[in-house]
Amino acid sequence: MHLHKYEKIWLVFGMGSLALFLIIIGFAAFWKGTHPQSHIETIDPNNVEAHEEFKPENLGLREVADGKYKVNIVASAFNYDMGKDAEDKAVRTIRVPKGATVLFQITTRDVVHGFQVAGTNVNMMVEPGHISRFEAVMKNSGEFTIVCNEYCGIGHHQMFGTVEVYE
């Protein structure tokens, strides 16, 4: 079989590109630790309160160890339920110290939502029937907006909150 000079060039280019892409994916997956979110833990979307982490009294921020925090959130039609404060008002701001490790655990009852803490690397897709988890170290102080970055309906713009990282 005779291959033309240009065919050989394109074959080498194609195989080289494939090898380069596989090396990049391998580097991201094994060296950098990039992996699919969560461990595909499922939950009944019609009864999220049955799961210990998503009972109303366990929603919001909890310190689990020195410098380690857990945030449990239930997303639903145009709202992030982050628990209630001492005055029984809905929590809209999560306050953590700079350098803290925060595990965000979130699920949804209804449709696909997004969960992004703008200005950080926290970014998840939240699907009904699944628990999404993301652990992040809050390295920079300031206020970071929580937004839903997946269109979820007409009140989508009302899904917001704040993460305040203080010194």
Side-chain angles (χ1 to χ4, degrees), residues 73-82 91-93 106-118 124-128 144-163:
I73 301 171
V74 176
S76 58
F78 323 126
N79 181 45
Y80 288 122
D81 188 354
M82 296 185 260
V91 172
R92 289 279 164 232
T93 301
I106 185 166
T107 191
T108 180
R109 293 183 172 100
D110 47 21
V111 298
V112 174
H113 294 281
F115 182 81
Q116 179 181 15
V117 181
M124 295 182 278
M125 181 181 283
V126 185
E127 300 177 61
F144 303 93
T145 304
I146 299 171
V147 295
C148 177
N149 57 7
E150 291 285 335
Y151 183 72
C152 55
I154 196 154
H156 165 74
H157 64 283
Q158 296 172 353
M159 289 189 73
F160 63 90
T162 306
V163 174

Side-chain angles (χ1 to χ4, degrees), residues 97-149:
K98 183 177 178 180
T101 301
V102 181
L103 173 65
F104 293 94
Q105 295 187 128
I106 185 166
T107 191
T108 180
R109 293 183 172 100
D110 47 21
V111 298
V112 174
H113 294 281
F115 182 81
Q116 179 181 15
V117 181
T120 70
N121 64 341
V122 178
N123 189 359
M124 295 182 278
M125 181 181 283
V126 185
E127 300 177 61
H130 296 277
I131 298 173
S132 298
R133 291 186 174 94
F134 192 92
E135 189 172 79
V137 177
M138 307 311 275
K139 298 176 184 174
N140 300 319
S141 58
E143 285 192 3
F144 303 93
T145 304
I146 299 171
V147 295
C148 177
N149 57 7

Side-chain angles (χ1 to χ4, degrees), residues 1-48:
M1 178 169 89
H2 174 72
L3 293 176
H4 193 270
K5 177 174 104 174
Y6 294 117
E7 287 178 309
K8 290 179 187 176
I9 291 171
W10 280 108
L11 278 172
V12 168
F13 176 74
M15 289 183 172
S17 296
L18 179 62
L20 177 67
F21 294 148
L22 289 174
I23 289 169
I24 290 170
I25 289 172
F27 175 76
F30 299 109
W31 183 260
K32 289 289 191 181
T34 304
H35 51 79
Q37 69 177 14
S38 186
H39 294 288
I40 314 300
E41 186 176 349
T42 59
I43 188 171
D44 179 9
N46 297 317
N47 192 14
V48 296

